[in-house]
């Protein structure tokens, strides 16, 4: 039983580490799209390439804390931790993009 839990924890950590690169790329892509929709036409600034947007997204996430580790439940299982990480990595930029698309449709 303990060995199964250790293997599950190992694969959960490996999955979360493997999700870092696609998550960062997805966030940068969303930032470049939103920049092109709102900042370029409003302020006349040049559009962002995805690589630059990835860097800016990384800098912002480094400076601005995105979660409060003190509020974590200690009895949270590995599945909940992985699911929460995936939701934050994929869902947050997707919702941001959806709301941006809705606002862009009104403009």
């Amino acid at each position: 039983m303990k060995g199964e839990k250790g293997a599950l924890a190992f694969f959960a950590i490996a999955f979360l580490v493997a999700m870092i690169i696609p998550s960062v790329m997805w966030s940068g892509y969303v930032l470049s799209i939103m920049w092109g929709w709102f900042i370029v036409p409003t302020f006349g600034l040049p559009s962002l390439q995805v690589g630059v947007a990835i860097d800016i997204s990384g800098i912002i996430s480094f400076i601005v804390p995105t979660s409060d580790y003190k509020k974590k439940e200690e009895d949270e299982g590995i599945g909940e931790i992985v699911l929460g990480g995936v939701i934050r990595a994929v869902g947050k930029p997707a919702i941001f993009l959806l709301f941006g698309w809705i606002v862009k449709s009104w403009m």
Side-chain angles (χ1 to χ4, degrees):
M1 186 74 159
K2 192 171 187 175
E4 290 175 14
K5 216 172 190 183
L8 182 61
F10 172 77
F11 286 117
I13 291 170
F15 177 75
L16 288 176
V17 169
M19 282 292 297
I20 290 173
I21 293 174
S23 168
V24 169
M25 292 175 69
W26 172 236
S27 295
Y29 174 75
V30 169
L31 178 61
S32 70
I33 295 296
M34 297 291 283
W35 186 276
W37 284 348
F38 299 107
I39 303 299
V40 171
T42 304
F43 300 108
L45 295 174
S47 61
L48 284 181
Q49 296 176 351
V50 175
V52 174
I54 289 170
D55 291 340
I56 291 172
S57 177
I59 290 168
I60 291 170
S61 66
F62 179 72
I63 294 171
V64 178
T66 57
S67 65
D68 188 5
Y69 295 108
K70 294 177 185 174
K71 292 184 180 179
K72 295 280 183 193
E73 297 283 333
E74 289 195 18
D75 58 1
E76 210 173 41
I78 294 171
E80 289 92 9
I81 293 170
V82 170
L83 182 62
V86 170
I87 289 172
R88 279 189 299 277
V90 176
K92 187 176 175 183
I95 290 171
F96 187 60
L97 187 63
L98 174 66
F99 284 132
W101 177 77
I102 290 170
V103 171
K104 179 186 174 291
S105 299
W106 290 345
M107 296 173 74

